[in-house]
Amino acid sequence: MRRMTALAGIALLALAGTAWAQAAEKGPETLDGYVPSDAILYVHYLGFTKAGAAFKDTEVLKLIREPEVQAFGAELSRFMDALMREKWGDDSVPQWADLRLLTDSEMAFALLDVRGRIPGMALIVRPGNRGDDLAKLVDKFLDKATQGMGAQVPEDQVEGVQCKSVGPFCVGWNCGDLIITSGKETLRRMARATKGLEGSLFKLDRYAAAAKRFGGAKELLTVWLDVERLREQTAELGRAERFEKVWEATGLKDVNYVRLGVAPDAPGVKETLYIHAPQGASGLFKLIPTAPVDEKAMLASVDEKAADVAVARLSAGAIYDVLVEFAGAMDDPDRVNAGVEDRNQALGFDLRKDLLGSLGDEITFRTLGPAPKSAAALAGGRAWAVGPAEMALLHYQFAASVSVKDQATASKALEKLVAFIHDKAGGRGGRAPVEVEKSEYKKHEFYAIRIPGAPLPLSPSYSFVDGKLILASTPEALKKAIDLSGAPPAKPLVDSAAWQAVRSHVAAKPSMLAWSETKESFRADYGSAAKPLADLLDMFKEDIPANELVKKLPRAETIALHLFGSISALSRDQEGYLVESYGFAGSTGDGVAQLGTTLGTLVPALANAQEAARRAKCMNNIRQIGLAMFQYAGDHDDKFPKSLGVLLHEGYLTTGKVFMCPSDKRTYKFPAHLDFRNTEVADLDKAIEPILSYVMVPGIDHAVDAEVVIVYDKDPHVGGGGRNCFFNDGHVKWYPEEEFQKLMKEQKDLLPKK
């Protein structure tokens, strides 16, 4: 087991790869070109650098540019960098800055085979113009992965791709792309696909057909799952019997493939999930209705200020049938049917026929504002014991409205159900019995079921109003729902500008439709985010560096300014199922604000991490120059060289690259094969000048005060707003621009008077 664990650790580390000479020829135009057509799983992440242009008109990008968000991102970056350096040192793998490189890189993951002991897997990373940085990163990973192996890593060539093997994995470079595979055969198949010798997933007809449903948008993320291929290979493994019940019960036996896409769609972001199942609908997929909702009628009583609402054409009886069928498929059908019969006898009526069969298929669900009491009080002091989903129930009241075909039958069945709950479900385990309250509100009878000691503040309540059954979380919520049903809003949601701004981004005739007004709910919930963050950081205060994260958390209003309503729709046709979400984050509810906050804070944090990495590399350059000056001074009576070219000419420095800061955007390259020893100093200075990012303070020697800066950045770092300085005592320090200017003024008093 220990050997397997060690091998797994080496394999995972090796997945980062290593660098060799990268091929100069043109590589495949898309990462899809690598993946053979019979791939089971394919995940393509475009990377923020390439997707950035598509975000330019979105609220996401506007939020990222908010000064408060930038400040928080910078602090998060500083904190993570300090944390990693403190815990794992300057050469830790990975560094926080490395995450920026990977986030910016276009990458893809493919699962080609599940049959082997090690499934056929591949990872492709395209770093763009940062190939050298990725090469250094993967070299570090490989060094860590192979420590103690006592032998060189085997090198090989597969279909023209130079590669090395670490355990069962192959790592290589092809046309500037890093490729990691779970074996040489997988690498061979990928290399052949790029040469057109094996069919590519990108050219597969059904892959292209599914892509058309996304409107041709440039997706930030694409996920493809070939369900047919997965079923075939699990059958070959001899596991068909084991999985057959799952395939049947869920309905996956009718599914060909699944495709997910996430794309910027100004002013928001759109997610699209497509399930291709042309053979029919079985298992749980029977739950997905086909008839479209009459959104105009079903939302007529919903005010434009509604926070969350969903409508669907969904039969309660059909749901029941599918769940019974599912239970029978996963268990013994006879035992399940016997259990259904026993339950009906205990209830005194047929649950399917008398209750669910008397209901219609039009369902409206909505939240009705915050709960009237504190969450802790409503939960009987047990709020700490519940999860996120339950916490939502603690904070909000909600109600559902269901159309009714036979009110008399449904009413009698519900009365019997309430009586059964009262008689059978109360008083167990020494608890107080369930209380059933029958009352009247605005001439409508309603029942409320109170469960003493329940961990959640629920008191299920119902009433029949205008041919509909209204179910609510509490009696207070039921009364509010009755009030709303009897008072049409001044302006329905479907006529509001907010609704119309997002409605056109999803299907025209869905069978389910959900809306969330994110701004107000976010304002209400965001304030509670700071305390958990503070508590989390406080738990590790002895292990992590000091930080200002909580203090710099953006204000709720700063984020809410960029939020707007979001919408989700589900539709079904003869080919399959389409789930679309559109909004700030392409989803309804607080997920919009959550992704907005994540993007708004993490992206600038990663950007700052990238600048921090450049700053660190610049610091190393300046240190090399400064130490070379020290060595020169040691050999020349404490005199510093008259120019930086002297350091090259005399051999104190061996490369011209050290004179260029990685933040400098100039494209001039220092002559790679210049003979420093046999070139005049004046000519070397001339060659350095176009790339020189640093200033050597003139007219001083090594005997001056230790606190004198002798080399510094010529210009402030772009995005960093400051400069590195090398001092006469050998240390390097970063100064924000304002502090740097102050430092240089003070330095005049330390320099010898002329």
Side-chain angles (χ1 to χ4, degrees):
M1 178 60 70
R2 289 182 180 179
R3 290 182 63 188
M4 289 296 293
T5 303
L7 181 59
I10 291 175
L12 289 173
L13 287 169
L15 283 176
T18 188
W20 296 276
Q22 300 182 20
E25 68 271 17
K26 183 180 179 182
E29 293 183 359
T30 65
L31 293 183
D32 307 74
Y34 282 104
V35 185
S37 58
D38 58 354
I40 296 173
L41 177 68
Y42 174 60
V43 182
H44 182 196
Y45 168 69
L46 187 63
F48 275 106
T49 295
K50 289 195 174 183
F55 275 103
K56 64 184 177 66
D57 296 323
T58 65
E59 290 297 321
V60 176
L61 188 58
K62 294 177 184 177
L63 173 59
I64 291 172
R65 289 174 174 170
E66 287 283 353
E68 287 183 42
V69 176
Q70 289 284 321
F72 180 79
E75 182 59 32
L76 176 60
S77 175
R78 187 202 65 77
F79 165 67
M80 290 299 297
D81 188 64
L83 176 61
M84 285 197 167
R85 290 182 185 280
E86 181 172 305
K87 287 297 180 183
W88 295 290
D90 288 347
D91 294 326
S92 64
V93 179
Q95 289 281 5
W96 170 243
D98 298 334
L99 299 181
R100 172 65 182 182
L101 168 61
L102 295 177
T103 303
D104 271 348
S105 295
E106 182 180 0
M107 63 178 67
F109 172 81
L111 174 64
L112 307 182
D113 204 322
V114 299
R115 291 168 294 191
R117 188 177 64 176
I118 300 176
M121 297 180 292
L123 176 68
I124 313 109
V125 181
R126 177 169 294 167
N129 60 2
R130 298 193 62 197
D132 289 343
D133 292 335
L134 180 62
K136 292 176 183 177
L137 173 62
V138 295
D139 272 338
K140 287 200 298 182
F141 268 104
L142 193 66
D143 288 342
K144 294 285 185 181
T146 57
Q147 281 180 359
M149 292 183 66
Q152 288 188 337
V153 180
E155 295 188 35
D156 202 351
Q157 189 179 86
V158 177
E159 291 286 340
V161 177
Q162 287 294 121
C163 65
K164 288 188 177 182
S165 299
V166 181
F169 295 95
C170 286
V171 189
W173 289 87
N174 182 47
C175 305
D177 298 332
L178 173 67
I179 311 175
I180 307 106
T181 66
S182 57
K184 292 182 181 178
E185 184 55 36
T186 302
L187 179 59
R188 180 174 289 107
R189 290 192 59 195
M190 295 178 63
R192 286 176 60 83
T194 64
K195 298 176 181 178
L197 301 176
E198 184 164 344
S200 170
L201 175 67
F202 188 59
K203 297 180 180 179
L204 196 65
D205 288 343
R206 60 182 182 177
Y207 182 87
K212 289 181 180 179
R213 292 179 175 265
F214 290 72
K218 194 64 174 177
E219 296 164 7
L220 174 66
L221 178 70
T222 300
V223 180
W224 164 275
L225 175 62
D226 191 326
V227 180
E228 277 189 323
R229 187 68 176 158
L230 180 60
R231 290 190 64 211
E232 290 172 2
Q233 291 199 359
T234 53
E236 292 177 27
L237 287 170
R239 299 175 182 174
E241 183 177 346
R242 175 183 173 186
F243 288 107
E244 194 59 35
K245 281 190 175 182
V246 176
W247 298 119
E248 293 281 347
T250 59
L252 285 173
K253 73 179 183 66
D254 296 321
V255 176
N256 295 133
Y257 59 83
V258 177
R259 191 180 191 280
L260 169 70
V262 180
D265 184 9
V269 179
K270 185 174 181 179
E271 298 171 6
T272 307
L273 174 68
Y274 178 61
I275 302 171
H276 191 245
Q279 296 94 331
S282 64
L284 295 179
F285 284 102
K286 287 183 179 179
L287 292 175
I288 301 177
T290 55
V293 295
D294 184 350
E295 59 191 80
K296 192 80 172 178
M298 296 178 72
L299 294 172
S301 63
V302 179
D303 187 84
E304 65 173 334
K305 296 181 181 179
D308 300 281
V309 62
V311 293
R313 293 294 298 272
L314 199 58
S315 167
I319 295 174
Y320 178 88
D321 293 339
V322 171
L323 293 179
V324 170
E325 181 182 327
F326 181 83
M330 301 302 292
D331 196 356
D332 179 1
D334 292 336
R335 182 163 57 185
V336 171
N337 290 331
V340 169
E341 185 60 33
D342 290 343
R343 187 202 55 239
N344 284 339
Q345 289 183 4
L347 290 172
F349 67 96
D350 188 309
L351 180 63
R352 170 64 176 89
K353 178 182 176 182
D354 297 332
L355 178 55
L356 303 181
S358 63
L359 301 178
D361 65 353
E362 292 188 351
I363 299 176
T364 301
F365 178 91
R366 63 184 299 184
T367 58
L368 299 170
K373 299 179 181 179
S374 70
L378 286 169
R382 303 183 192 180
W384 57 271
V386 300
E390 291 84 357
M391 283 302 294
L393 300 180
L394 296 177
H395 288 292
Y396 293 99
Q397 300 178 98
F398 54 89
S401 170
V402 185
S403 59
V404 178
K405 294 185 292 186
D406 185 344
Q407 182 171 326
T409 302
S411 180
K412 289 180 181 179
L414 280 172
E415 287 184 14
K416 290 181 179 180
L417 179 61
V418 169
F420 174 82
I421 293 173
H422 178 267
D423 295 338
K424 303 296 183 180
R428 294 183 179 180
R431 297 194 301 267
V434 172
E435 301 172 1
V436 178
E437 175 188 330
K438 183 178 181 181
S439 185
E440 185 176 291
Y441 181 72
K442 293 187 176 180
K443 299 181 180 181
H444 299 290
E445 286 188 349
F446 74 80
Y447 285 88
I449 303 172
R450 301 185 184 277
I451 308 174
L456 294 175
L458 295 178
S459 180
S461 307
Y462 76 88
S463 180
F464 290 93
V465 180
D466 298 330
K468 295 180 180 179
L469 171 62
I470 298 180
L471 303 166
S473 55
T474 64
E476 294 83 1
L478 180 59
K479 292 177 181 179
K480 191 169 184 178
I482 292 174
D483 290 339
L484 291 172
S485 67
K491 188 172 186 179
L493 173 64
V494 292
D495 294 332
S496 69
W499 170 273
Q500 293 171 2
V502 300
R503 179 62 184 87
S504 61
H505 291 267
V506 297
K509 295 182 178 181
S511 53
M512 291 184 176
L513 192 62
W515 157 267
S516 177
E517 196 296 309
T518 313
K519 189 169 301 201
E520 293 304 321
S521 58
F522 174 77
R523 284 194 183 103
D525 295 341
Y526 184 70
S528 61
K531 189 176 187 308
L533 177 59
D535 292 343
L536 176 65
L537 295 174
D538 190 59
M539 289 172 59
F540 302 99
K541 61 184 178 182
E542 295 181 0
D543 301 317
I544 59 179
N547 66 86
E548 298 290 324
L549 279 179
V550 178
K551 293 181 181 178
K552 291 190 176 181
L553 197 68
R555 293 171 301 163
E557 190 54 43
T558 299
I559 297 175
L561 178 67
H562 300 280
L563 301 182
F564 53 89
S566 57
I567 197 166
S568 291
L570 183 151
S571 51
R572 171 180 163 185
D573 57 26
Q574 293 180 345
E575 288 294 309
Y577 313 91
L578 185 64
V579 183
E580 299 170 288
S581 298
Y582 176 77
F584 188 95
S587 59
T588 59
D590 291 337
V592 174
Q594 290 167 5
L595 181 58
T597 306
T598 301
L599 289 173
T601 56
L602 185 58
V603 172
L606 291 172
N608 278 280
Q610 184 181 36
E611 174 54 33
R614 294 192 186 111
R615 187 190 307 168
K617 189 172 181 179
C618 170
M619 187 177 289
N620 185 57
N621 286 351
I622 257 184
R623 182 181 286 111
Q624 289 187 57
I625 296 172
L627 293 178
M629 290 174 62
F630 282 2
Q631 291 177 337
Y632 180 92
D635 295 335
H636 295 83
D637 297 325
D638 261 1
K639 304 294 184 183
F640 287 138
K642 293 183 177 181
S643 71
L644 294 175
V646 173
L647 299 176
L648 290 174
H649 184 74
E650 298 294 331
Y652 292 97
L653 288 174
T654 59
T655 175
K657 291 182 179 180
V658 74
F659 295 118
M660 189 170 188
C661 173
S663 289
D664 200 313
K665 302 301 181 183
R666 286 176 289 181
T667 57
Y668 176 84
K669 293 184 178 180
F670 188 79
H673 304 293
L674 196 61
D675 186 351
F676 301 147
R677 288 285 189 177
N678 297 312
T679 302
E680 295 292 334
V681 171
D683 292 332
L684 288 173
D685 287 331
K686 186 177 180 180
I688 292 170
E689 182 58 33
I691 66 166
L692 189 58
S693 300
Y694 308 108
V695 174
M696 182 179 70
V697 178
I700 58 173
D701 56 40
H702 199 11
V704 299
D705 194 287
E707 292 302 312
V708 166
V709 175
I710 62 173
V711 183
Y712 59 86
D713 277 309
K714 180 187 293 185
D715 301 306
H717 279 220
V718 176
R723 312 193 201 199
N724 281 311
C725 300
F726 183 88
F727 288 82
N728 196 36
D729 63 357
H731 80 276
V732 184
K733 187 174 180 180
W734 167 267
Y735 285 92
E737 183 61 18
E738 185 176 342
E739 293 183 26
F740 169 78
Q741 295 297 339
K742 181 179 179 182
L743 175 69
M744 297 310 291
K745 288 180 180 179
E746 294 173 349
Q747 176 154 313
K748 292 180 180 180
D749 296 331
L750 299 176
L751 295 177
K753 305 298 181 182
K754 294 183 179 180

